Amino acid sequence: MSAVMGPLPAYEWKDIDWRAIGRRVFKLQKRIYQASRRGDAKTVHNLQRLLMTSWSAKCLAVRKVTQDNRGKRTAGVDGMKSLSPAGRLRLVSVLRIDATPKPTRRVWIPKPGSPTEKRALGIPVLHDRAAQALVTLTLEPEWEGQFEPNSYGFRPGRAAHDAREAIFNTIRYKAKYVLDADIAKCFDRINHDALLKKLNTFPALRRVIRGWLKAGVMDGPDLFTTPEGTPQGGGATPPTIVQNGGIRAGDEGTRTDAEHHVHLLLVNLDPLDQRPYDTTLGLPIQVI
């Protein structure tokens, strides 16, 4: 039976009160954020389990992948591009994060700034995308409570304009050095075990995320295993929440240092860990 099949609900998609649903989900997310800020991991995990079984959160996850996202009509390996309103309700009723994931479908797109190169995307099926969106709703508030305040990559409520404002406020009174860096093959080389260890979530969710990472990828008729790396194209895979909450990238000694006027703005670096660094710099860094 298809993942989106199920009994037809007695209500309609258009009758859902999205404002009330958003409020209910936000209240739980706020409690997760507050527990994360005070370091109460047990409460964080209990609230996350509650949110992942919430009908309201499932509705928001399904709406995100079937209506809101720009790539909502991109099919996975099952060829399904869209759902009717009734189909969306059926998907909500059967949505489970622990369902066996299907391989992603390889899609090649032009790489920005390199006309001769292409970037590989891994598109999950609709059910898996909805499950990943549901997990994103639970992980984001936990990690928002730990991230570095001066980081802007792939975080809710933040955009490139916020990073530009921070840069302006940093250099407006005195010239500073700027470090512009990128991680070569960042998504292709991520170690799965190290990523899951850094996420430090409860066992059931860790198994779910491992299943998504190990699901494989279909490139045409060929199925390839995925012993390392993460697919770009899913709701909880880089460059989104799993990336932001995972492995620390870069030198432990590289951080904002007011005395030596070194400011690393985590925008294009795409770090896997945006939490504050504790190490101070011994000498100023000069970048030419």
Side-chain angles (χ1 to χ4, degrees), residues 164-185:
R164 292 175 64 180
E165 180 181 359
I167 294 171
F168 174 77
N169 290 331
T170 299
I171 67 175
R172 63 187 297 188
Y173 297 117
K174 189 173 183 179
K176 305 290 177 69
Y177 293 110
V178 176
L179 174 63
D180 183 13
D182 189 16
I183 303 174
K185 301 291 184 181

Side-chain angles (χ1 to χ4, degrees), residues 96-117:
R96 294 173 56 92
I97 66 166
D98 58 353
T100 302
K102 293 184 178 181
T104 60
R105 183 172 72 91
R106 174 71 76 226
V107 175
W108 297 92
I109 62 172
K111 190 173 183 180
S114 302
T116 59
E117 296 184 53

Side-chain angles (χ1 to χ4, degrees), residues 8-18 21 55-56 58-68 83-93:
L8 185 64
Y11 43 84
E12 296 187 17
W13 186 257
K14 64 182 179 63
D15 297 328
I16 295 177
D17 186 345
W18 292 109
I21 279 181
W55 183 84
S56 296
K58 291 180 180 181
C59 285
L60 285 181
V62 170
R63 188 180 73 164
K64 181 177 181 180
V65 301
T66 61
Q67 292 182 280
D68 297 344
L83 292 177
S84 66
R88 295 173 198 143
L89 285 173
R90 292 191 186 98
L91 178 54
V92 170
S93 67

Side-chain angles (χ1 to χ4, degrees), residues 176 255-263:
K176 305 290 177 69
R255 63 182 291 276
T256 301
D257 189 287
E259 179 183 355
H260 300 300
H261 312 301
V262 179
H263 293 268

Side-chain angles (χ1 to χ4, degrees), residues 31-78:
R31 291 173 63 189
I32 294 171
Y33 172 83
Q34 292 170 339
S36 177
R37 292 286 292 174
R38 63 177 184 265
D40 188 351
K42 182 178 180 181
T43 299
V44 167
H45 295 163
N46 287 338
L47 291 172
Q48 286 175 330
R49 292 186 185 95
L50 181 61
L51 187 56
M52 283 189 292
T53 58
S54 163
W55 183 84
S56 296
K58 291 180 180 181
C59 285
L60 285 181
V62 170
R63 188 180 73 164
K64 181 177 181 180
V65 301
T66 61
Q67 292 182 280
D68 297 344
N69 285 357
R70 287 189 300 173
K72 58 183 177 290
R73 294 190 179 276
T74 305
V77 294
D78 60 356

